[in-house]
Amino acid sequence: MSSLSEQLVGIGFERLAQGAPTVLSSSQLAGELAFSAPKDWQSEREPSWEQLAPRATELLTHRPLLLVPTWQRRTDAERRRAAGPPDYYAEVMAACRPPSPDAVMAVLLPAHPWVSDQPWAAEMRTKIAEHWDILLLAYGTGMLTQISANAESAVVFLRARAHPSPVLKLFQVPRPRPDETAVVKDFERLLHRQGGRGEYGYVLRAIPGPQQSLYFDRFDPHILQRREDLAGFGAVNALGDLFTFRRSSLSDAVLKRGKQLSSPKAPGAVRMIRPRDIARDGTIAPPSEETLWAAIPADQQLAAGDLVLRRMNASVMVPPHGFFTAEVSEEDLPAAASDQVVTLRPIKPLSRPQSRLISMFLRTPLALALAGPRLAITSMEALSALPVPQPDEALTKALDELTSAKQQFKQWEQEAESVIESVFLEKTAAQARARVIDSGRALRLRAEAASLLDDLGHSIRTRFPYPIAYRWRETEARISAGDAQAAYAAILDTAEELLCYIAQLVLALTHARKITLGSVTAIRDKLAGGRSGPGFGDWANVLNEAASSKQLNNLPQAHPLNDIRTLLAHQGAENARQALSERRNNQAHLRRVDPIDLPHAIDVAFADLTRLVERARFLADLPLLEITDVRWDAFARSARVEYRELAGDHPVVPTRTMTSPSNDLETGSLYLRDTDGALHLLRPFLIGRDCPTCRTWSTFHVDRVPKTAVVFKSLEHGHTFEDTSSDARRLLGRIGLV
C-alpha cells in the first residue's frame, strides 16, 4: 500500500474498530502480483479464493480484519460454464458473514463494484447489505504501488448489521499529488462527524439502497446543490431530450479494410474527426498531416450544429476538467466522426446561445460529476440522463450580445491590422502617413469610447437612471470647482437620493406583489407629521429590510428585487452607508466638519459614496422609462408603446418605440423595465413631471402629507410642489402611505 493509504486505513481501524487488524489476502492479487501487508500488521495468506470468506469469518472472531481478495477476473470460458459475476471477489464478498454483532471488517477492492450500476455489482452490494452496514467508503488512486497509479481503488469499512443503521461516511483522496497532511487531518475530522461535509468527504444520513451505486459525486452535497443551481440559468433538460446520440463504427481498421481511405484532394474526400482533433477549448483542430480522409456516405457525415465528444474520457485522470466537446461549424465540413467520437445531433434546431451554453457546460467538471462514475469510456445512458442548463430570455439576450460584441471586436481588429499593414503600400511616405491617420481615426475613437466604460463616473453619467446620474454629475462638478462646503454637501445629498430612489423602487415593487414591509410604518408616521418627511435612515431601513425579508426569498429569477436586495447585504456597502448616514446626521444637527478638515472629509466621503454606487451598478440594467403614448391593437393583442428612457444626466432624450403584451400601461407614468423586458409601474411612489420651480422635467417622490395637501419633492434638486386634490391623498391611502 502507498504510505498515505496505509495511514488512512490504520486511522480507520483505530477509530472504527479500536484495534489493529489482521490482514487476510489472496496468494495472488492480480496477475502475478501478491498483496504485501504493512510491516507491523499481522498477515495471513489464503491460496484458495473459495476459502477466503470462511477464513475471514474465522479470523474476525479474534480481531478486526482487513480483507484483500483476489482482483483476478474470470475467464470467458469460466463465465460461460457458471453464470456468475465477472470477478471472483464478488462471490467472496457475498459469502462473508460477521461472527459477532461487533465484528468490523475493511475490504480493499477496485472502486468499480461500488460505483457501477451493472446488475452483478448491485447484486453484490445487496448480499453484503443483508449482513453488514457500511461505516466508511474511501476512494483513491494509487492506493497500491504496483498497480497503475490511475486505477481507482476503494477501502470499505463494514460492521455487523445493526438497528438503527449508522450514518455512511464517504471520502475521496484528491488527485493528483495531494497534500498528505491535509488529507489525513480531514479524514480524522470526517470520522468524528455525524453530519455535514469536510474538504474531501461528507456524511450521508439517508442511506441509499444497495441497488444504487455509491460513486462519490452522486450524493455529494456540493454537487447536489450545484445541480439545483443549474435552474438559475433558466431551465434544465436531460441531454437525451435535446439530442440523439450516434456512435460510429468507422474505426481506422474498418476504413482500411473497406478501402475507404483517400487523399484530401480526392473527389468526395471527407475528413475523419478523431479524439485528438477535439481540443480542450471546444474547437476542432485544423487538418494536419496525420488527418485521415475517406469516402463516407452522406448519411454518416456530420452536420453543422452537431456536438462531437470524445468517447475515451481522459478527464478521469484530470478532475479540473470536463468532457472534450466541440461544436461542428460549416468550416469543419465535410467531416465524419470516428468510432471513438460520439456525435450529438439536435432533435430540434437549437439557438446559438443554447448550443453554446450546452457545449460550455459539457466542458466543466460539474458535467463530468453529474454524468456518473468517472469511467474510461463515456456511457451513452449516463450522457442521455445528464441534466444540462437552458438559457432563459435574459441570458439568451446577454449571450447574443456578447457574441455580437466578440464579432465586432474581431472585425475592428482586422480593420486595424489592415491599416497597419498598409503603411508601406502607398507611393509616398506622406500618403501613407495621411492614410494611417485618417483611416485609423474611427478605430481610435472607438477604443477611447470603449475605455470610458471602465470609468465608473462615465458609466453613471451615461447609463444610470436620470435622478442618480444628475446628482453624480453635480457632485463631480462641485468637487472639481474647489468649493469644499458645496462639494461635501453634494456628496451627502447624492448618497441620500441614491438610497431614496432605490427605496422607492422597493416600495413600488413590493406593493405590486402585495407584500407590506414593516419599515413603511415609520415612513407613514413621518409623512403624516407634515413637518419633515422621511430621510436617509428611513430609506436605509427599507433596503435593509428588503435584504433580509423571507417574503422576498422566492421571487422570479429576473425580478429586480433580487438585484436590489444585494445592495446593503454587502458589508462594505453597509459600512459605507452607515458612515455617510452619520455624516448626514452631523451636518443636519450643526456638527459640521471644520474647514481645515474638509478636504480629507471629502475624500473619505466620496470614497464611501463610490463604494455604495459600485454596489448599485445593477441600476444600469433597470432603466427608468416614461410612457408617452400607448396604442392598443385588439386583434394583435399587443400595444405599440412610445417611451423615453431616462438614462444619463439629462432629461432631454429621444422617444423610442416598443411593443408590449399588456393593455394596462399608463400614459405619463414612470415604469421600471427589468432584464426580461417586463414593465413595473412606479406611480405614485415616483412620478415624473415638469418642476414648477425650475421648469425642468424632474422625478418626484412623496415628502410630506399635511392636512390640506400632498407635498412631492424632487430627487434631482429638492424642489417641491403641492397636490391639493383629494385623489392624491386617496391614492396614498390605497398604497398604505397615509
Side-chain angles (χ1 to χ4, degrees), residues 83-315:
D87 299 278
Y88 295 119
Y89 58 71
E91 290 194 25
V92 174
M93 293 303 303
C96 283
R97 300 288 185 271
S100 62
D102 59 349
V104 175
M105 175 175 70
V107 185
L108 177 60
L109 289 176
H112 185 72
W114 303 106
V115 304
S116 174
D117 285 317
Q118 292 179 345
W120 71 267
E123 183 179 357
M124 184 195 87
R125 295 192 296 268
T126 300
K127 290 182 177 179
I128 291 173
E130 293 174 359
H131 304 281
W132 302 89
D133 287 321
I134 301 179
L135 302 178
L136 171 70
L137 184 53
Y139 295 106
T141 55
M143 282 189 169
L144 300 176
T145 58
Q146 296 186 52
I147 292 179
S148 170
N150 293 321
E152 188 169 34
S153 307
V155 174
V156 58
F157 278 81
L158 305 171
R159 187 175 65 193
R161 188 169 178 80
H163 184 79
S165 297
V167 295
L168 171 58
K169 300 176 181 181
L170 288 94
F171 191 81
Q172 187 169 56
V173 178
R175 51 183 174 179
R177 297 181 182 178
D179 179 346
E180 293 194 6
T181 302
V183 171
V184 170
K185 287 183 178 179
D186 193 67
F187 184 74
E188 291 177 326
R189 286 192 291 267
L190 176 67
L191 294 180
H192 285 96
R193 285 180 177 272
Q194 290 302 308
R197 195 191 195 286
E199 185 70 20
Y200 307 118
Y202 59 90
V203 177
L204 196 57
R205 289 180 172 275
I207 310 300
Q211 295 295 322
Q212 298 188 64
S213 65
L214 291 171
Y215 64 88
F216 184 83
D217 291 333
R218 183 167 191 166
F219 303 102
D220 184 351
H222 288 180
I223 299 296
L224 296 180
Q225 180 60 51
R226 293 188 65 190
R227 178 175 181 144
E228 292 180 6
D229 287 344
L230 289 179
F233 288 105
V236 176
N237 291 102
L239 197 61
D241 294 337
L242 303 173
F243 295 88
T244 59
F245 297 82
R246 303 172 63 182
R247 285 184 287 185
S248 169
S249 60
L250 300 174
S251 66
D252 294 0
V254 168
L255 292 173
K256 290 177 181 177
R257 283 200 305 269
K259 299 181 179 179
Q260 293 171 273
L261 294 179
S262 66
S263 70
K265 296 182 180 180
V270 172
R271 178 195 177 180
M272 298 304 300
I273 302 295
R274 296 189 287 176
R276 71 181 67 179
D277 298 321
I278 304 173
R280 168 64 61 198
D281 62 0
T283 60
I284 295 177
S288 67
E289 294 181 356
E290 297 181 353
T291 299
L292 295 182
W293 299 82
I296 305 296
D299 62 349
Q300 296 184 42
Q301 294 182 23
L302 297 170
D306 287 349
L307 298 183
V308 287
L309 180 147
R310 291 188 187 181
R311 280 193 70 198
M312 296 298 292
N313 186 12
S315 296

Side-chain angles (χ1 to χ4, degrees), residues 448-519:
E448 290 174 10
S451 64
L452 286 173
L453 295 177
D454 292 328
D455 178 6
L456 178 63
H458 179 268
S459 296
I460 298 170
R461 293 191 305 272
T462 57
R463 296 304 309 151
F464 270 47
Y466 168 61
I468 310 306
Y470 178 91
R471 284 286 188 177
W472 183 270
R473 185 192 68 179
E474 182 181 7
T475 298
E476 287 187 327
R478 296 288 187 186
I479 293 174
S480 64
D483 185 342
Q485 291 288 356
Y488 190 67
I491 292 171
L492 301 182
D493 289 347
T494 300
E496 179 168 342
E497 298 310 325
L498 171 67
L499 296 189
C500 177
Y501 175 79
I502 300 176
Q504 300 300 329
L505 300 185
V506 171
L507 296 176
L509 294 168
T510 52
H511 178 264
R513 299 188 69 85
K514 297 181 173 54
I515 295 173
T516 301
L517 300 178
S519 50

